[in-house]
Amino acid sequence: MNALASGGHAPGPVIEIRNLSTRFGDIVVHQDIDLELERGQVLGLVGGSGSGKTTLLREIVGLLRPSAGTVRLFGQPVLDPDPARQRTLRRRFGMLFQQGALFSALSVYDNIAFPLRELRTLDEAMIGELVMLKLAMVELEARHAWLMPAELSGGMTKRVALARALSLEPELLVLDEPTAGLDPDRSESFVRLIRMLQMALGFTVVMVTHDPETLGGLATRFAVLADQRIVALGSAADVLAVDHPFIRNFFGSGRAAAAIGKAAA
Amino acid sequence: MSLAAIETVEQAGGLQVLLSGDWTLATMPEPLSSLEARLREIGAGAKAWDLRPISRLDSAGAIVVWRAWGRCWPAALAVSTEHRSLLERVVAIRVERKEAGSRAARPGLVFLGEQALAALDHFAGLLGLLGQGVLDLAYLARQPAQIPWREFSANVYKAGALALPVTALIGFLIGIVLSYLSALQLKTFGADVFIVNLLGISIVRELGPVLVAVLVAGRSGSAMTAQIGVMRVTEEIDALATMGVSRSQRLVLPKVLALAVTMPLLVVWCSAAGLVGGMVSAKLQMGLSYAFFIDTLSRVVPVANVWIGVGKGVAFGFLIALIACHFGLRVRPNTESLSSRTTTSVVTSITVVILVDAVFAILTRNVGIPF
Ligand SMILES: Nc1ncnc2c1ncn2[C@@H]1O[C@H](COP(=O)(O)OP(=O)(O)OP(=O)(O)O)[C@@H](O)[C@H]1O
Ligand SMILES: [Mg+2]
């Protein structure tokens, strides 16, 4: 049995955040945040611009050490001091960065193949098929595989980044603004794609988004980040019941209410 | 979580293959090629396949199964709808190979020709940059309010003031080493006092300018290429252009002028440090007094040598900055190009500096050498 599998599907939450606080100098971004996410759920994280959503995602994936508190993924601390355990843990989730973060010196093909090659267990033919499959999944054409990141449009960059995040078949997908910069058609097919994959693979998703359609189409749980805290957490109905200015503004708008209402119903 | 498992069941119609467990990248036994071979072998005589017991199937698993089937659907297949749609996606894959040829080996002559053309292209680029600089100067002479003083002084500070300690240290150490080694030789001829002539001419005329040029090319030239290069990668240069800010006026000109102004000063500073080092060493090793050294220096080293050194400083500074900016603007928007351009920039400017130094040596062969 290989190392990846030995992590096991331990029961318990996939993400477990306890008493997390973040400070940059004098600026307090988060204060005493608690958050849990069960396997197979899709959490939509919303909050105003600059409220610290990206920062929270960076702490979840272990890119940033919180000023206080702990983050556990699959029951293990993300910032495990043991490098081998940390590497194993990091292969179990995929992250889509807000700006794409593609490797600018590698072609689209090599960007997606990169994590697969890192496994060192796959032959090049298998990698080729996997890469083309991921490209097809995000609705890119095979000829796009040989473009360089600088030659992509903004939306294409997003989709390539998603394909790369998906390449290791992660159990947890962390998405920062996945549909920003996509046309409505594409964001709808993105929602369908994640839904389909989620049904087939049962992975867990945390996503930050401002787009009500994406939020309503995907999220099974909602968390609202405001005033340095999670002011509301739970199903659509739970969140709508909370009286907070941001929630009134965000979910009060017609489009958002309609989209979320669908999810609540 | 369970491992990928293969079973066979004997049925009325023939052999049936049952796949169960998790067929995912994380749970399939490695290496995948041997799993595929085993599956192919077991499935060879099978009439029917049952994939319904599979709990999780991901694209890697689907590809393994599809390849084991020899890329065609089996006669009888039982599979859940989700897994079937995944398999159908795999079926639709078209692997497109990159068209080869761009990296093919070229005959030596073609390679040489391409290199020559590239060198010519860079030369043309440098000339263009130079011409643009002259136009900018003419424009700024008429619009003095637009002169980028801030950028100019920032560059003088970064390339000049911050380089003072390291140039002094290097000059001083080279002075000591040179003086020590020359003294050993001169002593055997009883020509001790000529140490002053030797050090004076070589440091002021030759070593000072070249040392500083190499240091500045490595220190400031690379920084300039990298800065302009990153601005290309992050589209900052485009942002500047849309605001109507000329990149040659705001980025290139201040750098070139700042280095042309600072380099001669650094040369004087470094040469002075070298002479001090030589003086200290001469005193310790041969007992030449400081007063004698300084007195002789002013007699045996014509002042023309200082002007030659300063002139070289201006020319080298100008060239280093121009080359650095040229390569910075040629960076393509990826990190690989950034690193190769920075390397090329430093190597080119050092080479050009040495070449120009040789030209200086020929042109000034009758100037500043006593008797
Ligand atoms: N490295 C850092 N140093 C200092 N402050 C930072 C740093 N990173 C983020 N911040 C601050 O933390 C706050 C939260 O930033 P973050 O990027 O998490 O916002 P966000 O919620 O993702 O916003 P958006 O929706 O606009 O992407 C901001 O005020 C930002 O200025
Ligand atoms: Mg953000």
Side-chain angles (χ1 to χ4, degrees):
Chain A
M1 187 160 183
N2 64 37
L4 283 174
S6 65
H9 279 202
V14 174
I15 300 180
E16 196 181 352
I17 299 175
R18 290 264 165 275
N19 303 326
L20 177 139
S21 300
T22 315
R23 273 182 295 278
F24 291 113
D26 290 337
I27 308 169
V28 179
V29 181
H30 304 129
Q31 229 170 11
D32 268 333
I33 285 187
D34 287 297
L35 184 66
E36 270 186 21
L37 192 62
E38 298 297 329
R39 180 170 304 281
Q41 289 192 316
V42 179
L43 176 74
L45 184 61
V46 294
S49 185
S51 58
K53 304 177 297 293
T54 300
T55 307
L56 186 60
L57 291 192
R58 288 172 64 83
E59 285 166 335
I60 289 176
V61 298
L63 288 174
L64 184 73
R65 188 180 288 278
S67 313
T70 53
V71 178
R72 298 172 82 82
L73 293 186
F74 311 105
Q76 298 172 31
V78 250
L79 293 166
D80 202 310
D82 177 45
R85 269 209 305 263
Q86 198 174 98
R87 197 165 50 241
T88 312
L89 185 67
R90 288 188 174 198
R91 287 204 177 138
R92 295 175 67 181
F93 60 79
M95 168 127 187
L96 171 67
F97 289 88
Q98 197 167 4
Q99 316 291 349
L102 297 178
F103 303 123
S104 61
L106 302 182
S107 65
V108 166
Y109 180 96
D110 291 323
N111 259 286
I112 303 173
F114 185 86
L116 296 167
R117 295 201 175 115
E118 282 301 293
L119 286 179
R120 293 171 207 285
T121 56
L122 302 178
D123 56 82
E124 227 14 73
M126 178 89 186
I127 289 178
E129 292 199 50
L130 276 170
V131 169
M132 291 302 163
L133 184 61
K134 302 291 150 171
L135 272 182
M137 275 184 179
V138 296
E139 296 184 30
L140 285 171
E141 290 162 36
R143 65 192 167 83
H144 294 140
W146 304 108
L147 294 178
M148 298 302 283
E151 299 162 349
L152 300 176
S153 75
M156 284 162 84
T157 304
K158 269 275 153 63
R159 283 181 280 154
V160 174
L162 177 67
R164 187 178 68 178
L166 286 173
S167 64
L168 283 186
E169 315 284 351
E171 293 167 61
L172 169 65
L173 202 54
V174 180
L175 311 172
D176 198 355
E177 310 257 6
T179 51
L182 298 186
D183 59 65
D185 254 8
R186 288 269 150 60
S187 31
E188 208 172 288
S189 65
F190 172 87
V191 169
R192 268 203 312 276
L193 163 71
I194 296 286
R195 263 238 192 92
M196 192 277 287
L197 288 173
Q198 219 244 337
M199 258 188 266
L201 298 171
F203 54 47
T204 316
V205 180
V206 185
M207 108 188 130
V208 167
T209 181
H210 292 299
D211 176 32
E213 314 291 339
T214 311
L215 199 63
L218 274 180
T220 56
R221 281 170 73 77
F222 302 83
V224 181
L225 197 58
D227 311 332
Q228 292 107 43
R229 294 167 199 282
I230 302 243
V231 291
L233 175 67
S235 68
D238 296 342
V239 169
L240 289 174
V242 175
D243 186 38
H244 186 277
F246 177 81
I247 298 177
R248 272 202 304 277
N249 273 332
F250 187 85
F251 295 97
S253 81
R255 232 154 56 91
I260 313 301
K262 242 184 2 212
Chain B
M1 185 192 250
S2 52
L3 283 179
I6 311 171
E7 282 171 62
T8 49
V9 192
E10 204 63 59
Q11 273 193 343
L15 202 64
Q16 190 191 26
V17 184
L18 268 167
L19 303 185
S20 61
D22 287 353
W23 286 73
T24 62
L25 198 54
T27 52
M28 283 184 291
E30 301 160 14
L32 289 185
S33 45
S34 62
L35 175 69
E36 187 191 316
R38 193 151 58 89
L39 196 57
R40 193 194 306 268
E41 197 183 304
I42 294 175
K47 284 278 168 301
W49 290 72
D50 191 354
L51 270 52
R52 283 170 305 184
I54 290 183
S55 47
R56 293 166 71 234
L57 178 72
D58 69 5
S59 32
I63 290 177
V64 166
V65 172
W66 179 248
R67 295 215 296 191
W69 285 343
R71 297 179 182 279
C72 51
W73 293 100
L77 172 67
V79 62
S80 71
T81 41
E82 283 147 31
H83 293 166
R84 179 182 288 276
S85 72
L86 185 57
L87 280 166
E88 276 161 3
R89 279 175 183 276
V90 171
V91 175
I93 302 179
R94 294 283 166 273
V95 179
E96 202 163 293
R97 291 271 145 242
K98 192 179 189 164
E99 52 302 346
S102 59
R103 283 283 173 88
R106 286 167 305 221
L109 202 62
V110 175
F111 178 75
L112 214 64
E114 278 179 358
Q115 293 291 305
L117 283 181
L120 216 63
D121 182 41
H122 282 305
F123 188 69
L126 277 170
L127 269 188
L129 210 55
L130 193 64
Q132 183 64 50
V134 173
L135 291 182
D136 286 339
L137 277 180
Y139 171 81
L140 290 177
R142 280 180 285 119
Q143 310 267 341
Q146 303 257 342
I147 298 178
W149 289 114
R150 267 169 179 282
E151 286 81 359
F152 176 75
S153 71
N155 278 301
V156 168
Y157 177 71
K158 277 188 290 191
L162 293 182
L164 286 177
V166 64
T167 40
L169 180 70
I170 302 276
F172 185 78
L173 292 178
I174 292 284
I176 286 186
V177 171
L178 208 62
S179 173
Y180 175 75
L181 290 177
S182 319
L184 287 183
Q185 296 295 310
L186 289 174
K187 255 187 192 159
T188 59
F189 298 112
D192 298 21
V193 286
F194 287 108
I195 184 90
V196 187
N197 308 40
L198 192 73
L199 286 181
I201 301 275
S202 63
I203 290 182
V204 172
R205 191 181 172 112
E206 202 53 52
L207 275 176
V210 173
L211 267 181
V212 172
V214 171
L215 265 175
V216 168
R219 213 183 150 272
S220 310
S222 61
M224 289 172 181
T225 308
Q227 190 201 1
I228 297 183
V230 169
M231 288 180 78
R232 293 250 321 144
V233 174
T234 55
E235 300 181 270
E236 285 172 55
I237 293 203
D238 299 342
L240 275 180
T242 58
M243 295 172 204
V245 177
S246 151
R247 65 184 188 192
S248 66
Q249 273 174 34
R250 204 58 74 84
L251 292 175
V252 179
L253 201 63
K255 289 186 167 55
V256 174
L257 290 186
L259 221 51
V261 169
T262 358
M263 271 281 285
L265 302 177
L266 281 178
V267 167
V268 171
W269 168 255
C270 179
S271 301
L275 288 175
V276 170
M279 197 163 77
V280 169
S281 170
K283 160 97 173 170
L284 294 179
Q285 210 192 352
M286 302 194 292
L288 284 188
S289 80
Y290 295 148
F292 173 79
F293 192 101
I294 292 171
D295 188 42
T296 321
L297 189 67
S298 61
R299 268 191 297 109
V300 300
V301 180
V303 115
N305 286 296
V306 179
W307 295 121
I308 291 177
V310 168
K312 282 183 181 178
V314 175
F316 293 171
F318 180 79
L319 286 171
I320 291 174
L322 199 65
I323 291 172
C325 292
H326 166 73
F327 281 104
L329 291 171
R330 289 281 175 102
V331 168
R332 280 189 300 275
N334 69 65
T335 48
E336 193 53 45
S337 161
L338 180 63
S339 85
S340 73
R341 290 294 155 178
T342 309
T343 311
T344 321
S345 153
V346 174
V347 172
T348 311
S349 47
I350 292 180
T351 315
V352 167
V353 159
I354 305 278
L355 280 178
V356 171
D357 189 54
V359 173
F360 259 96
I362 295 169
L363 292 182
T364 61
R365 63 190 179 280
N366 297 322
V367 186
I369 309 280
F371 46 79

